[in-house]
Amino acid sequence: MMIICFCLGLNYYVMNGENLTASCRANLYDAIENRLTDVVVDISTKGKEVELQYRFLEQEIEQSSIIMRGTLLKLDLDTMTYRLALQSGELLSNIMPPRFPEQMSRLIEYTRAAPGPSPTSIPLNIHVLDMNAVQGNAVIQFQPGNGIWACELN
């Protein structure tokens, strides 16, 4: 019951223009290049506007990033899933010549090939698996992709 009340409150704040931000982190190992890459996904919403920034770090230095912007279509309370439509993206590289990790290349290819609710949008669902508002953390799953991330709620 407490989770449902929290979700209803979260839905109220998201739909009424309050900021919601979360920062999620994963460590990826590239066996081919024998290097560790950290990926940070920063999620922020304001009203129905959504921004996801995937930042690729090596030794805590940002190498490249993808910023995707879109719309929150619906918060499905039954499944605790945020249904998004991403409409635009931007690639940034802080190194010359630009070098993108394999995971970033796969994300770019997915966005080029994915069918969406409209010809210019890409569907993305963020499924909340577990949330502890008191401690300020959540476990989420991105669909498609099925990646599971531990996140800090800000």
Side-chain angles (χ1 to χ4, degrees), residues 2-3 13 16 23 26 33 42 44 49 54 56 71 74 78-79 91 97 102 118 128-129 133 144 152:
M2 187 172 156
I3 291 174
Y13 284 117
N16 288 293
S23 185
E33 295 188 21
D42 297 316
S44 63
E49 296 175 12
Y54 286 81
F56 295 84
T71 306
K74 179 182 179 184
D78 291 338
T79 61
L91 292 173
E102 175 63 29
S118 73
V128 179
L129 300 173
E152 291 180 19

Side-chain angles (χ1 to χ4, degrees), residues 75-101:
L75 171 58
D76 186 347
L77 290 176
D78 291 338
T79 61
M80 283 305 302
T81 302
Y82 290 85
R83 303 200 187 283
L84 312 175
L86 303 174
Q87 286 95 16
S88 68
E90 180 180 357
L91 292 173
L92 304 169
S93 180
N94 294 328
I95 54 175
M96 287 301 195
R99 186 183 78 217
F100 301 111

Side-chain angles (χ1 to χ4, degrees), residues 21-52:
T21 58
S23 185
C24 312
R25 189 178 190 109
N27 297 354
L28 305 173
Y29 179 74
D30 187 335
I32 295 171
E33 295 188 21
N34 192 27
R35 74 172 187 232
L36 183 65
T37 301
D38 291 328
V39 181
V40 176
V41 179
D42 297 316
I43 304 167
S44 63
T45 65
K46 180 160 178 113
K48 289 197 170 208
E49 296 175 12
V50 176
E51 181 176 285
L52 283 85

Side-chain angles (χ1 to χ4, degrees), residues 76-148:
D76 186 347
L77 290 176
D78 291 338
T79 61
M80 283 305 302
T81 302
Y82 290 85
R83 303 200 187 283
L84 312 175
L86 303 174
Q87 286 95 16
S88 68
E90 180 180 357
L91 292 173
L92 304 169
S93 180
N94 294 328
I95 54 175
M96 287 301 195
R99 186 183 78 217
F100 301 111
E102 175 63 29
Q103 294 81 7
M104 187 173 183
S105 298
R106 277 190 262 142
L107 183 59
I108 293 167
E109 288 305 313
Y110 166 73
T111 59
R112 289 183 179 153
S118 73
T120 59
S121 69
I122 298 165
L124 179 69
N125 294 333
I126 300 175
H127 179 68
V128 179
L129 300 173
D130 189 31
M131 182 182 296
N132 186 328
V134 174
Q135 292 182 353
N137 56 46
V139 177
I140 64 171
Q141 179 179 30
F142 288 99
Q143 298 167 337
N146 292 325
I148 296 176

